[in-house]
Structures are given as structure tokens and as C-alpha cells.
Amino acid sequence: MNSRPLMTLRLTTAPTQKLGWGPHGMRVTFPITDGEFEGPRLRGRVLSGGDDWTVLRADGVLEADLRITLRTDDDALVHMTFQGLRHDSPEAKAALGRGELPAPGSYYFRTFPRFETAAPRYAFLNRLLAVGTGEIRPSGPVHIIEEIL
């Protein structure tokens, strides 16, 4: 399988909203307040108002469900969603518990982004599949997104 870079997405979040344990796990919402994205064919800002709705399952896996709006540098709007999974090694959990960043490779963070836009210049987004690798950084989550060819 081949891929090519689509974008790097950097997100800024507000304090989390912890809803508590429900029948499916611990629900936590990460409000998206800002961000930016850049790739070979598009770049711009993340608009405020999106969220990453997560559920921490009993087996320790975090399920992500992100929904945001992107505004390209030429003012096109793109709806972006992704679903994903993150699970941490004991070392990553310990680092996060201490308020530290986990070491790269000590956690698994993968996403399946989808896009929708009415802008003709970016219509290619409506017809592609992508995968992402998430990273935990001090400034907020960063997602390296690749288009599957």
C-alpha cells in the first residue's frame, strides 16, 4: 500500500470536560479552540467550535471521535472528522500521570480521517481515504495525515 503526505494538523484544546463513567467507559470531551494545518496541497486554520469526543474503555483503549471545521488559506471550508484509537504503555501512562510527555513509541495513536467540502479546488478531499498518526506534544495533539493512494 502506498501513501503520500496530506497534512500535518496541530490542535489547541480547552480544558477537558469529564463526563464520568458510563456503560461504554469514561467519557471525556476535548473542546477544540484553534489549530493549524499544512500540507503540499492545502493549508490554513482550524476554526473554534469543534470537539474530540473520547471514551476510555475498560481495557484501557481510548476511542477518539473528532469533528472540526478547517478554513483554508484561500477561505474554503472543509468539514473534517476522524475516528481513532490510542493506547498507552505503562511507561506512557506513568509519564502522563506525572504531567510529563510520554516518550515517542510508548503509545499507539492512529486515526482514520474523512473530509467533506463544497469547494471545487479541494474536491479531491471528498474522494480519498487517509490515515493518521497522532503525537502528544506540550502545545497539544499533532496528527500526521497521509493520503492512501
Side-chain angles (χ1 to χ4, degrees):
M1 186 175 311
N2 296 317
S3 66
R4 66 178 168 186
L6 182 62
M7 72 171 76
T8 298
L9 173 70
R10 293 174 177 81
L11 298 173
T12 304
T13 63
T16 59
Q17 302 165 352
K18 295 183 180 180
L19 284 71
W21 284 94
H24 301 286
M26 167 68 86
R27 294 236 176 235
V28 178
T29 302
F30 296 83
I32 307 299
T33 59
D34 192 21
E36 61 187 20
F37 61 96
E38 184 170 356
R41 295 180 285 166
L42 70 164
R43 65 186 41 82
R45 304 286 316 167
V46 177
L47 300 182
S48 65
D51 283 290
D52 189 0
W53 290 271
T54 68
V55 66
L56 179 61
R57 303 183 328 206
D59 65 357
V61 174
L62 183 78
E63 293 183 3
D65 181 8
L66 177 116
R67 298 166 195 202
I68 57 176
T69 302
L70 309 176
R71 181 186 300 277
T72 64
D73 59 356
D74 57 353
D75 285 327
L77 295 177
V78 178
H79 174 67
M80 178 182 174
T81 64
F82 72 56
Q83 295 186 336
L85 297 176
R86 187 182 115 205
H87 57 85
D88 303 327
S89 69
E91 296 79 20
K93 287 180 187 176
L96 290 167
R98 294 188 303 269
E100 300 170 3
L101 289 178
S106 67
Y107 56 91
Y108 178 90
F109 194 177
R110 302 293 184 269
T111 62
F112 177 61
R114 298 294 305 265
F115 304 91
E116 182 179 344
T117 184
R121 177 175 176 171
Y122 300 103
F124 68 92
L125 292 169
N126 298 327
R127 300 183 298 268
L128 63 78
L129 292 178
V131 293
T133 300
E135 298 177 4
I136 301 168
R137 297 201 184 160
S139 58
V142 174
H143 299 275
I144 312 300
I145 300 172
E146 296 273 323
E147 174 185 0
I148 302 300
L149 301 175

